[in-house]
Amino acid sequence: MSKILLGVSGGIAAYKAVEFVRLAVAAGHTVRVLMTASSRRFIGAETFEGILGSPVLTSEFEKDPLRGSFPGEQLPGHEPIGHLALVESADVFLVAPASANTVAKLAGGQADSMLTTSFLACEAPRLVAPAMNERMYLDPATTRNLEVLSERGVDVIEPGSGSLASKGEYGIGRLPEPAELLRRVESALNGDLSGFRLLVTAGGTREPIDPVRFVGNRSSGRMGFAVAERAQARGAEVILIAANVNMATPAGVTRHDVETTSELAVACEDHIAGSDVLVMAAAPADFRPVQVSSGKLKRTDDFLELRLEATEDILATLSNRAAAGQTLVGFAAEHGGDAEARAREKMARKGVDMIVMNDVSDPRIGFDSSVNAVTIISSSETVEVEIAGKHEVADRILDSARLIHLKKSR
Ligand code: CTP
């Protein structure tokens, strides 16, 4: 479950933030709350602290008794800088309610409280739920401030219409119900890939020895196909490059078939420029015969010597040329021993943002298996995905890749 940072600013709708926290905790998330000074005139910090069992912070200078950790986490040994530590470990930051004043500060990049400094330093997905009187909401100053936030990738949650706090007034400006806020937060965390362009490779390449024989590997392509299928179902535009995969193309996915590592390299080069995320699930053959016989080699009674040369490392080449906002995901099939350390080394060597590692010495997860168990490794986290269907594993891979990409493209 996820770590939600909630910023509460001054407004009567602050009482709805309490219900949000209660629902979020009931759904299994952990929450830390930052309140502006004026929000404390509407609701007490003790209310949140009672529900969460963790302190609320208001000033950027105040010491955090939890040292930037979330409830249930181990406290770091040192005293970190408060507004940097909390946002670094948060998975998402929601400001609800966001008053006109707080919206203006966030749009202007001001940093004069724990809430505003944290918001500015936050690389996780950020959501802002404005709630105020209709005239304040519709004033061009507020409209423009919200546009500025949207342009910077902040998810602005439209307020609802109905009766407003001031007696007899009716209009737009109501904070959405807490369940709706939680739904928006959860979809920011897990879900929606619309607007994402994914390039996925799958299968194993084959390097011809002669017209009927090849050097290849046992990759079935099932994991890459599952990633392509789930990404498309979650709204992404997906191009799938399949190397010798005998499976139907997932609906809505554009497929290109290749055979050899160099064909795979060319196809990747052709499509990488328009992609936000590359998921390199294919297993390219690492060696190819130096000479390919044009006729079928005859059987001999003693030895046939094959001289092999290394193929190009596609991922390493692509990462050298990747644009700043592109996210590259590699796979690492490791065999026993300190598999995670080797995968980390591979992540650095290939210059990728994330590595999906599986330990192929585990007998439960064969090459052609419909299940998998992986460790997702990035510079910010290590996620163990216990044995599960390849579609579920695909979703977990996409969740992590999506968060990394959102952080990178801020
Ligand atoms: N890969 C690639 N080009 C190659 C070989 C591998 O792009 N010629 C990619 C794979 O698609 C995978 C990642 O690199 O995403 C790691 O592949 P792996 O076979 O585990 O790594 P190798 O480079 O072969 O390294 P080693 O032999 O040291 O395990």
Side-chain angles (χ1 to χ4, degrees):
M1 281 294 140
S2 302
K3 295 183 268 181
I4 302 173
L5 191 57
L6 173 68
V8 180
S9 64
I12 290 172
Y15 75 91
K16 287 190 183 172
V18 177
E19 179 63 2
F20 170 84
V21 164
R22 210 187 56 74
L23 290 178
V25 170
H29 303 291
T30 51
V31 185
R32 292 284 317 258
V33 175
L34 311 178
M35 295 179 77
T36 62
S38 67
S39 75
R40 300 180 77 146
R41 301 174 71 131
F42 293 88
I43 187 156
E46 292 79 358
T47 312
F48 291 114
E49 291 174 347
I51 296 172
L52 294 172
S54 63
V56 165
L57 304 173
T58 293
S59 160
E60 68 276 38
F61 298 111
E62 136 190 43
K63 284 224 180 316
D64 177 9
L66 289 189
R67 297 183 173 176
S69 64
F70 274 70
E73 285 183 332
Q74 214 178 349
L75 263 60
H78 68 292
E79 189 80 62
I81 300 177
H83 61 280
L84 299 181
L86 253 183
V87 283
E88 217 165 282
S89 88
D91 296 315
V92 63
F93 192 166
L94 166 70
V95 182
S99 65
N101 186 39
T102 291
V103 165
K105 286 183 179 179
L106 299 181
Q110 286 193 37
D112 63 350
S113 70
M114 185 61 184
L115 189 157
T116 52
T117 46
S118 300
F119 193 85
L120 200 56
C122 179
E123 292 187 326
R126 297 176 298 177
L127 297 93
V128 166
M132 62 199 71
N133 173 275
E134 180 178 64
R135 280 168 287 147
M136 294 168 78
Y137 178 70
L138 293 179
D139 186 275
T142 306
T143 310
R144 181 67 200 127
N145 288 334
L146 290 170
E147 277 169 11
V148 166
L149 289 173
S150 290
E151 284 160 12
R152 292 198 196 127
V154 174
D155 188 357
V156 174
I157 303 175
E158 276 270 295
S161 294
S163 51
L164 300 173
S166 46
K167 197 163 181 286
E169 276 211 53
Y170 188 90
I172 188 164
R174 283 168 61 93
L175 186 69
E177 291 310 310
E180 170 60 12
L181 294 176
L182 184 58
R183 196 192 63 73
R184 290 290 290 262
V185 164
E186 286 183 337
S187 93
L189 281 165
N190 307 320
D192 204 13
L193 290 173
S194 35
F196 276 68
R197 291 161 305 172
L198 253 84
L199 179 61
V200 181
T201 68
T205 61
R206 295 174 179 175
E207 304 299 333
I209 298 170
D210 69 14
V212 296
R213 302 183 180 92
F214 57 81
V215 176
N217 60 68
R218 293 171 55 199
S219 175
S220 66
R222 291 172 87 136
M223 192 65 245
F225 269 54
V227 169
E229 186 177 336
R230 289 303 305 141
Q232 201 280 336
R234 288 168 60 167
E237 205 180 296
V238 183
I239 295 177
L240 173 63
I241 304 175
N244 310 296
V245 182
N246 188 16
M247 282 170 67
T249 311
V253 166
T254 307
R255 172 177 184 163
H256 300 280
D257 284 292
V258 296
E259 189 181 348
T260 63
T261 296
S262 57
E263 284 171 19
L264 177 61
V266 169
C268 287
E269 296 272 344
D270 285 350
H271 295 285
I272 189 74
S275 307
D276 301 305
V277 179
L278 166 71
V279 179
M280 191 77 189
D286 286 321
F287 300 98
R288 68 177 145 240
V290 173
Q291 273 180 343
V292 182
S293 167
S294 57
K296 185 182 169 213
L297 291 173
K298 290 281 169 216
R299 188 190 146 74
T300 54
D301 282 338
D302 42 15
F303 295 101
L304 168 68
E305 280 200 359
L306 270 184
R307 196 170 154 75
L308 302 176
E309 64 184 3
T311 56
E312 61 265 56
D313 188 328
I314 303 171
L315 201 48
T317 309
L318 292 173
S319 86
N320 273 332
R321 298 197 204 136
Q326 287 181 315
T327 298
L328 304 188
V329 178
F331 279 64
E334 301 294 340
H335 198 275
D338 196 351
E340 188 177 325
R342 285 201 307 280
R344 280 190 185 282
E345 181 276 321
K346 199 169 279 183
M347 179 167 83
R349 173 160 46 89
K350 303 217 176 204
V352 295
D353 303 285
M354 179 177 132
I355 282 270
V356 180
M357 188 271 287
N358 57 10
D359 187 343
V360 286
S361 68
D362 183 339
R364 300 169 305 166
I365 51 169
F367 276 100
D368 209 10
S369 162
S370 59
V371 295
N372 204 352
V374 301
T375 307
I376 299 173
I377 300 165
S378 67
S379 62
S380 58
E381 60 177 11
T382 301
V383 181
E384 297 285 348
V385 183
E386 292 301 329
I387 192 141
K390 283 194 172 165
H391 285 92
E392 195 179 326
V393 175
D395 269 325
R396 302 292 297 276
I397 293 168
L398 290 166
D399 291 344
S400 295
R402 179 179 176 279
L403 287 180
I404 291 176
H405 186 68
L406 288 172
K407 283 188 182 183
K408 269 188 97 160
S409 52
R410 265 197 69 204

